[in-house]
Amino acid sequence: MVHASEEAKAAAEEDHGKMEGRRSNMGLTESEIFGNIFVFNFAGHDSIAITLTYVITHLAAHPEVQDWIGEEIQHVCKSQEEGATVSYRDAFPKLKRCTAVVYETLRTSTPFPAITKTTGSMPRTLKIGGKPLLLPAGMNIICTFPSIHSHPRYWGDDADVWRPARWIATTPPTPTPDGKGIGDSAFDRESLSSPPPGSFLPWADGERVCPGKKFAQVELVGAVSALFADGWSVEPVREGEGKSMEAARGRIKSMIQDSGMVLLVEMLHPERVGLRWVRREKKKGI
């Protein structure tokens, strides 16, 4: 952006044009450059950090889901030596459970509370329930993500429950040619479900979808698969002698519910519950 702007400025000066205070057809003004830099840094760092915090905290409250994604990570990375790097092409498309954890976290705990759309300078006609609805020019429409992401019409009666398995569809097993066994693994029979259009909007949708959508998906799934590889798990730190692990997990769930707007939506008091990483034995024969 900076390079394009400098080239445009140089060309304008050569033509005795005046660039200051107005936009060039060849580049961006200085204020536009600063605005884009701010958006890229803010959206690309805070949103990822907050989402990853929610992911780890949700998983600390649900050890069964940690086991679930651990099985997948071990299956995908089983042929890799310890410490070796797994390529994007070999791993990302197969980490469907890890992706489901990220999606479910963004559905229930998205850092962005809403997005504003406008009709612009012209009236727009929408069809709702088969009937045309005329929206006047200059009208702003605010889509609230928590409302959409928790609507029973799209997500069922347990829409308020964090349940990553809702994103996974499983096909029946394929028998071997001799009919005496199963020809494919459980992981190969799983696929990511697609929600109804317009019901899942953490990156918005349509022509103005977030340009960092794919990068964010890969970064978050990669972080989850790396953190929970090799038998690692996360658990809450118990407070006081005799306190149960169930009570500690209950505090975590309450802490997630105690979220609010800062610059984005995030947990207001994450310091109230400590988390620790522990090593578990790898499951064999998966």
Side-chain angles (χ1 to χ4, degrees):
M1 288 187 296
V2 174
H3 181 67
S5 180
E6 291 300 321
E7 285 186 341
K9 186 179 292 186
E13 288 175 353
E14 187 176 335
D15 294 336
H16 306 288
K18 295 182 179 180
M19 294 287 298
E20 187 175 354
R22 66 184 181 86
R23 180 171 181 159
S24 165
N25 291 330
M26 296 177 63
L28 301 174
T29 65
E30 197 169 277
S31 62
E32 288 173 325
I33 292 173
F34 281 120
N36 277 278
I37 290 173
F38 172 78
V39 169
F40 290 157
N41 277 278
F42 179 60
H45 288 82
D46 278 38
S47 59
I48 293 292
I50 291 170
T51 300
L52 190 56
T53 301
Y54 274 119
V55 166
I56 293 171
T57 309
H58 274 294
L59 286 169
H62 296 87
E64 74 285 356
V65 179
Q66 293 188 56
D67 292 338
W68 186 62
I69 64 171
E71 293 172 354
E72 177 183 74
I73 295 168
Q74 185 177 340
H75 172 74
V76 172
C77 305
K78 61 185 177 182
S79 61
Q80 298 291 324
E81 296 181 4
E82 189 169 351
T85 301
V86 184
S87 70
Y88 162 82
R89 182 178 298 176
D90 292 335
F92 181 75
K94 300 176 183 177
L95 293 170
K96 291 161 280 193
R97 294 181 182 182
C98 292
T99 303
V101 166
V102 171
Y103 284 3
E104 184 70 348
T105 301
L106 285 166
R107 184 185 74 82
T108 60
S109 307
T110 178
F112 299 100
I115 190 171
T116 302
K117 297 290 186 179
T118 179
T119 55
S121 59
M122 300 289 292
R124 308 273 181 163
T125 301
L126 297 179
K127 278 192 175 181
I128 300 178
K131 298 180 180 179
L133 179 64
L134 180 64
L135 305 179
M139 181 178 185
N140 291 330
I141 302 172
I142 301 176
C143 303
T144 56
F145 294 158
S147 299
I148 298 171
H149 290 175
S150 61
H151 201 300
R153 180 191 303 166
Y154 309 119
W155 304 104
D157 294 335
D158 65 344
D160 293 331
V161 177
W162 187 81
R163 186 172 63 84
R166 74 172 75 245
W167 291 90
I168 299 296
T170 305
T171 58
T174 303
T176 55
D178 59 11
K180 296 181 179 180
I182 303 300
D184 49 2
S185 72
F187 303 101
D188 296 329
R189 299 197 306 273
E190 293 179 349
S191 60
L192 281 169
S193 299
S194 297
S199 63
F200 183 58
L201 303 170
W203 292 282
D205 205 356
E207 295 180 354
R208 296 187 179 273
V209 67
C210 173
K213 175 181 178 179
K214 189 65 175 183
F215 182 88
Q217 291 173 342
V218 175
E219 186 174 19
L220 287 165
V221 171
V224 171
S225 63
L227 287 170
F228 292 91
D230 299 319
W232 286 101
S233 65
V234 64
E235 66 181 22
V237 177
R238 303 185 214 192
E239 291 186 356
E241 188 176 349
K243 296 292 184 179
S244 69
M245 185 58 72
E246 285 304 314
R249 292 187 179 117
R251 291 200 314 275
I252 286 181
K253 294 176 182 178
S254 298
M255 183 180 68
I256 294 172
Q257 293 297 321
D258 186 21
S259 296
M261 195 73 182
V262 184
L263 286 177
L264 298 175
V265 177
E266 58 186 271
M267 286 179 278
L268 298 177
H269 300 286
E271 75 283 354
R272 291 181 179 176
V273 178
L275 302 178
R276 67 175 184 175
W277 293 90
V278 295
R279 192 75 175 265
R280 296 175 301 176
E281 291 185 7
K282 289 184 181 180
K283 292 187 177 182
K284 297 181 180 180
I286 295 176

